[in-house]
């Protein structure tokens, strides 16, 4: 499968309303949601947007993860479950690829420049241990997808990695079971460097949000909001409905029950 066969702007989610039917639409929704929330956080606490007490002062729409409910398949989800869920797979892959396009305007990857490739691979996969793109974000899936895309760009390879193909097709034959019995993928970073990664629901949710946060950090919230201004009303309505649903459930359920409550309000 080659890059030219992939089009994230084509409608694939026919049961979604207009403006939410393509992978690019969903990535825009997550990215815009974080941009709006970050603006509000900065307004409440300019010096420490993620500091103590900020969450409690946010509007209800930002206190609960409404969009995460769309892609969280639950703790018992397996690789086969994700294989049947294109919303999860395509949103994760599209977000990582769009972030690559943003970053490569600065990186300007040079074909077969091994020094540049090594530095970018370290920057993409690192955490707080070294200068890195994601820093303290929980983003293993997004890091792996971006690292593979960097490798292919550096090596001028249009043929997709097998892990990328799984994100597009959900083909069970592209997964394997690790020593603990978890459905997993293998990501080819460079040479013989192959990274195995088990597939868990929380990893997809955190990776998609991490990609959105990194994208907003790179572009700035005002630019992101301007880019997607036509989506603000529909997104705000969705977040409001999900927030109210979660707030009502939080009053009625025990803390343990609420941990497993999905506040996705539906379209």
């Amino acid at each position: 499968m080659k890059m030219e066969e992939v089009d994230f702007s084509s409608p694939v989610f026919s049961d979604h309303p207009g403006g939410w039917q393509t992978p690019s639409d969903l990535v825009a929704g997550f990215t815009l949601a974080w941009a709006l929330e970050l603006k509000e956080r900065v307004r409440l606490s300019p010096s420490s947007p993620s500091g103590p007490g900020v969450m409690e002062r946010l509007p209800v729409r930002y206190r609960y993860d409404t969009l995460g409910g769309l892609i969280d398949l639950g703790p018992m989800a397996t690789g086969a479950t994700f294989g049947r869920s294109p919303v999860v797979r395509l949103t994760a892959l599209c977000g990582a690829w769009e972030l690559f396009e943003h970053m490569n305007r600065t990186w300007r990857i040079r074909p077969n420049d091994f020094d540049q490739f090594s530095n970018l691979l370290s920057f993409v996969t690192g955490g707080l241990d070294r200068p890195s793109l994601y820093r303290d974000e929980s983003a293993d899936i997004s890091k792996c997808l971006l690292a593979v895309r960097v490798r292919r760009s550096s090596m001028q390879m249009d043929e997709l990695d097998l892990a990328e193909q799984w994100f597009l097709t959900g083909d069970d034959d592209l997964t394997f079971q690790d020593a603990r019995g978890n459905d997993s993928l293998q990501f080819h970073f460079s040479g013989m460097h192959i990274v195995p990664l088990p597939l868990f629901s929380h990893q997809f949710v955190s990776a998609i949000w991490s990609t959105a946060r990194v994208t907003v950090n790179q572009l700035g919230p005002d630019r992101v909001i301007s880019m997607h201004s036509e989506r603000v009303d529909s997104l705000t309505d969705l977040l409001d409905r999900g927030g109210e649903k979660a707030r009502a459930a939080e009053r009625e359920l025990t803390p343990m029950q609420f941990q497993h409550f999905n506040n996705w309000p539906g379209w």
Side-chain angles (χ1 to χ4, degrees), residues 139-203:
D140 286 347
I141 286 176
S142 188
K143 286 181 179 182
C144 287
L145 287 171
L146 196 58
V148 167
R149 183 69 190 274
V150 167
R151 174 185 68 85
R152 289 197 299 98
S153 180
S154 181
M155 306 304 172
Q156 292 187 293
M157 297 174 59
D158 194 45
E159 187 73 27
L160 300 187
D161 186 82
L162 291 180
E164 293 175 311
Q165 293 186 35
W166 178 83
F167 276 86
L168 288 168
T169 67
D171 185 350
D172 282 347
D173 291 339
L174 298 173
T175 67
F176 71 98
Q177 285 201 336
D178 65 13
R180 296 185 177 182
N182 299 311
D183 290 336
S184 306
L185 286 176
Q186 288 186 332
F187 293 84
H188 186 192
F189 281 11
S190 64
M192 298 302 293
H193 189 189
I194 298 176
V195 176
L197 190 69
L199 303 171
F200 298 115
S201 191
H202 70 273
Q203 283 188 311

Side-chain angles (χ1 to χ4, degrees), residues 6 44 62 82 135 147 196 237:
V6 181
L44 292 171
Y62 301 129
F82 293 113
R135 295 183 57 77
D237 172 69

